[in-house]
């Protein structure tokens, strides 16, 4: 999937950012399809327990993010294309039962949770501001759009 800004220079991003806010996010029908396909893929890959996937999918704030798995961990990204964002805590099964919530960085630990629902709630409590729906594109394109949006907002306030 190629996003709307592929091949554009950074100077062009601001001009298309308003369109991206409308079109390159999960609110667009094809954006929802991409995110939904991500949820289907993580269920099919079998690396994460169904109980955890079900609990995460029931939470609207997480269901609108792009899920991915690695090393048996359930991750959530604010964009749909790899190298996904790393600014949201992730969940893994703990030895002996329950879950462990870490991140967003590998060396950061949030803590243990007895149930999948508790684990999901711990992630939701730590979501970045204005998180979701998932942006259709790469982390770099998301960052460029966010920067252009901030610039446009500051100019319009002047």
């Amino acid at each position: 999937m190629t996003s709307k800004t592929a091949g554009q220079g950074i100077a062009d991003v601001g001009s298309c950012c308003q369109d991206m806010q409308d079109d390159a996010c999960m609110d667009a029908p094809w954006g929802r399809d991409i995110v939904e396909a991500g949820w289907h893929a993580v269920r099919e890959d079998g690396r994460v327990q169904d109980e955890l996937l079900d609990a995460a999918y029931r939470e609207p704030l997480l269901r609108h993010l792009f899920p991915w798995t690695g090393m048996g961990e359930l991750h959530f990204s604010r964009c749909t294309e790899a190298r996904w964002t790393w600014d949201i805590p992730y969940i893994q099964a703990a030895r002996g039962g329950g879950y462990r919530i870490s991140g967003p960085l590998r060396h950061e630990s949030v803590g243990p949770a007895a149930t999948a629902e508790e684990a999901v709630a711990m992630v939701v409590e730590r979501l970045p501001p204005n998180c979701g729906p998932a942006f259709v594109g790469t982390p770099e394109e998301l960052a460029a759009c966010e920067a252009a949006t901030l610039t446009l907002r500051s100019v319009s306030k002047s």
Side-chain angles (χ1 to χ4, degrees):
M1 162 90 211
T2 302
S3 71
K4 192 169 186 164
T5 60
Q8 293 181 326
I10 192 71
D12 300 322
V13 174
S15 64
C16 73
C17 195
Q18 181 57 47
D19 291 338
M20 290 171 66
Q21 289 174 343
D22 297 334
D23 297 336
C25 70
M26 208 275 309
D27 286 336
W30 48 272
R32 284 191 294 275
D33 292 345
I34 293 168
V35 171
E36 193 62 35
W39 282 99
H40 181 74
V42 297
R43 185 170 299 280
E44 292 297 313
D45 79 15
R47 295 185 215 177
V48 175
Q49 298 171 356
D50 285 343
E51 170 189 57
L52 177 57
L53 289 172
D54 292 343
Y57 190 81
R58 279 192 302 270
E59 171 51 59
L61 293 173
L62 297 183
R63 183 173 54 243
H64 293 116
L65 298 174
F66 190 81
W68 60 280
T69 59
M71 301 182 351
E73 304 158 344
L74 178 58
H75 295 258
F76 307 94
S77 177
R78 296 187 306 119
C79 65
T80 61
E81 292 185 32
R83 230 187 60 237
W84 300 285
T85 59
W86 273 83
D87 55 355
I88 299 171
Y90 57 93
I91 307 168
Q92 62 191 33
R95 291 180 206 228
Y99 298 91
R100 181 184 165 138
I101 299 78
S102 301
L105 302 177
R106 286 260 175 228
H107 68 275
E108 297 174 323
S109 177
V110 174
T115 67
E117 289 77 13
E118 289 175 21
V120 164
M122 291 171 76
V123 170
V124 169
E125 290 171 2
R126 291 162 178 82
L127 289 173
N130 304 314
C131 187
F135 175 86
V136 177
T138 66
E140 294 80 15
E141 291 167 332
L142 171 61
C145 183
E146 289 174 337
T149 300
L150 287 174
T151 300
L152 291 173
R153 285 183 186 152
S154 66
V155 168
S156 67
K157 288 181 181 179
S158 301

